[in-house]
Amino acid sequence: MKRIREIVIRELHLWGKRPIYLLGSVGVMLASAIFFLTFMSEGVPEDIPIGVVDRDQSSTSRNFIRQLDATQLGKVISFDNVSEARQEMEAGRISAYVIIPDNFDADVQAFRCPKMGIYVNTMNPVIGGALAYKDILTMVSLTNGAVQREVLRAKGISEREIMARIQPFAIDAHYIGNAPASYAYYLNNMILTGILAMSILLVVSYALASELKYGTSKELLELSGDSIGLAVFAKLIPYTLLFTVLGTTIQLVIFGPLHYPLRGSIWAMLLATFLLVIAYEAIAVFIVSMVPTLRLSVCISALYSVLGFSFAGFTLPISSLPAALRGLSWIYPLRFYYRIFVQVALFGTGFSGWWIFVVALLAFQFLPLLGLKRLYGAYKYQNYPRN
């Protein structure tokens, strides 16, 4: 215990000398939380800029523009020609633009099926472009239904028959665990947790590899009694406490004052957060053991952690990935955290529904054992590059 205490105190002194530790953990999480929690404070983005080039200038086209502008998602910006609209979209100031063709109203009245051009920027930002496209298609469908209704009314068909033709069946949708269909509910928790995982991996990798870069690894081994296991364990104690507190704070804010849906126990989510922290710390130890060089270990950690967002399954279902890539999701702790989040927060299942994912997160603790001997050699003899 005396050796552990000395190593922990030594590590806290390093935090005071190198601000990168606190900036890469507390600073990053604070900035990310402020950005994402305020960006989606209303649940979904609002007033997404959508350009319109009205070549028809008819009552039908103006009505379409008014209806599009009245939606929650869209905010219409009119342009005189396509070139202006294209330039604004390339500059990122609008997410999409619509071209209403000449003779739009006349073609609609004559059932000639006019073609409306829709151009969407789905590269940056992806969410804005996708939502703008959805909003435009919704208004096109509603406009089409309104035109059909007026034509059928003119033919003397009853309202009941008209609605049966326009909408043959009605969809009764129920959003399980997310009744208001808020993007924030399923995105913010995972995005912030993913950023937390990235911070853990980068900061811990830097902390372990910097012992080699600055030639202080022998000092660490001396404090631990020449035990690499004790040295790593004691060195990670402050980081485990720090990141667990950060993760716990995120959970308490999200499920507390912000009232994100939580059908299960908050203690289950806090347990999942702690397991995620120690799992990513174990991966950091493994990476530095295999590549005991500061520059390479941090680069590998960054690449690995970024890919975790794709393989977690909250942006794209794992079942939709190519068969060759599905197995890669098993090497990312964020994937198992996401499964616990779904079972606990959305479905409210008990421990029997997610215990297997707890075991999976604990299995990552065996990773450091594969490289501790190699890490001991690097710390003891410092025979690796320090750049």
Side-chain angles (χ1 to χ4, degrees), residues 145-162:
V147 172
Q148 291 187 44
R149 182 180 61 183
E150 294 302 319
V151 172
L152 293 174
R153 279 178 178 175
K155 292 182 179 181
I157 299 176
S158 65
E159 288 294 326
R160 184 175 181 179
E161 292 184 51
I162 290 174

Side-chain angles (χ1 to χ4, degrees), residues 39-40 42-51 65-77 93-96 125-139 175 180-184:
F39 175 69
M40 292 192 176
E42 300 298 327
V44 294
E46 294 183 351
D47 294 336
I48 297 174
I50 300 174
I65 294 172
R66 285 195 299 270
Q67 296 295 333
L68 182 61
D69 188 52
T71 60
Q72 179 184 8
L73 291 177
K75 178 182 179 181
V76 170
I77 301 175
R93 286 187 280 269
I94 61 175
S95 298
V126 177
I127 295 178
L131 292 178
Y133 182 63
K134 175 184 177 182
D135 200 36
I136 294 170
L137 287 186
T138 300
M139 290 312 306
Y175 298 95
S182 171
Y183 283 80

Side-chain angles (χ1 to χ4, degrees), residues 206-222:
Y206 178 86
L208 292 171
S210 62
E211 298 284 355
L212 292 169
K213 177 178 176 61
Y214 298 109
T216 57
S217 58
K218 290 183 178 180
E219 175 190 337
L220 178 61
L221 284 178
E222 289 177 3

